[in-house]
Amino acid sequence: MFDLDGTLLNTIGGITRAMNSLTKVYGLSEKSEREYAALVGQGAKKLVEDIFPPEYNRDQILTAYKSALNACSIGGTSFYPGIPEMLTCLNQLNLPMAVYTNKPQDTAEEVCSHFFTQWKLSPVRGQVEGLAQKPDAGQALEIIREWGIKPEECLYLGDTATDIQTARNGGFLAVGCTWGFRDRNELEKAGADIIVDSPGEVTALLTES
């Protein structure tokens, strides 16, 4: 099971363009991709709260951000090196693969349907109003029940402390990747079971187990 942003895909360009289009409208300064990379991972609502002070209409801004993100999500996104090869290998092994992300559900589905046509990643679970999001592992546990496997038989790969906490909450093998939005130090502090520096190491973990 995979996180999406910062794990399978580098989406920070689209996130940056979408949010900066709103900070400009509301008279706030723009932030860099690096600054946004340090903030993302806990969902769109939390990102809006981190950028816009309480006196702003955050609900209205959140709606606008989701719309802007949909418009920017494809053009501002690319694969991390080695991800296509990893997915191809895991597909050939007939291992079930899914996405569990805090990206809004409709945007997550759009991105995945565009980039993952060659591979079977199902289901794609994103942030849905009224449902708990990561680090809650409820939706992830539903996925493995559909697969008919135990939590300890599942690997969850992500690039942030939120992802590691999600994996630990679900009883999965918590694997942190260093090519995403956060550094090794954050992953270590969060309690990752394993930290990998390339997608090929993920393939090795799964083919050797």
Side-chain angles (χ1 to χ4, degrees):
M1 199 178 306
F2 305 108
D3 170 52
L4 185 60
D5 299 325
T7 300
L8 295 180
L9 297 171
N10 185 353
T11 58
I12 202 63
I15 291 169
T16 299
R17 286 202 289 273
M19 188 58 79
N20 279 345
S21 71
L22 294 175
T23 58
K24 183 177 180 180
V25 168
Y26 285 90
L28 298 180
S29 60
E30 296 184 351
K31 293 187 181 294
S32 67
E33 290 187 1
R34 183 175 181 178
E35 289 174 305
Y36 283 117
L39 294 172
V40 298
Q42 299 182 66
K45 182 178 180 180
K46 181 64 166 60
L47 182 59
V48 168
E49 291 173 350
D50 286 341
I51 300 299
F52 291 89
E55 60 267 24
Y56 287 79
N57 188 333
R58 288 170 166 173
D59 289 339
Q60 180 180 348
I61 293 169
L62 177 60
T63 299
Y65 172 63
K66 289 180 178 179
S67 178
L69 188 61
N70 280 335
C72 299
S73 61
I74 301 301
T77 297
S78 61
F79 284 109
Y80 284 105
I83 292 297
E85 293 81 0
M86 179 191 75
L87 294 177
T88 295
C89 181
L90 300 183
N91 241 18
Q92 290 171 347
L93 294 171
N94 293 317
L95 294 176
M97 298 186 290
V99 170
Y100 181 36
T101 173
N102 276 345
K103 204 174 194 69
Q105 180 70 35
D106 55 349
T107 306
E109 289 177 353
E110 180 181 1
V111 169
C112 289
S113 65
H114 180 86
F115 284 95
F116 300 123
T117 56
Q118 298 179 49
W119 308 282
K120 183 179 180 182
L121 280 83
S122 179
V124 173
R125 297 283 178 88
Q127 186 272 320
V128 176
E129 190 69 30
L131 294 180
Q133 62 183 36
K134 298 188 299 182
D136 185 275
Q139 293 192 69
L141 289 168
E142 287 183 9
I143 291 172
I144 67 164
R145 280 194 287 269
E146 292 173 11
W147 288 347
I149 67 171
K150 300 175 182 178
E152 59 268 25
E153 296 174 309
C154 179
L155 178 156
Y156 186 84
L157 178 71
D159 66 306
T160 70
T162 299
D163 296 318
I164 301 305
Q165 292 161 7
T166 301
R168 296 184 70 82
N169 287 341
F172 313 139
L173 183 67
V175 181
C177 63
T178 60
W179 59 79
F181 298 160
R182 303 290 210 280
D183 59 19
R184 178 179 289 270
N185 183 55
E186 176 171 322
L187 299 170
E188 289 176 346
K189 287 184 176 179
D193 295 310
I194 299 171
I195 297 177
V196 294
D197 298 314
S198 72
E201 293 180 56
V202 180
T203 305
L205 282 173
L206 291 168
T207 54
E208 293 170 1
S209 60

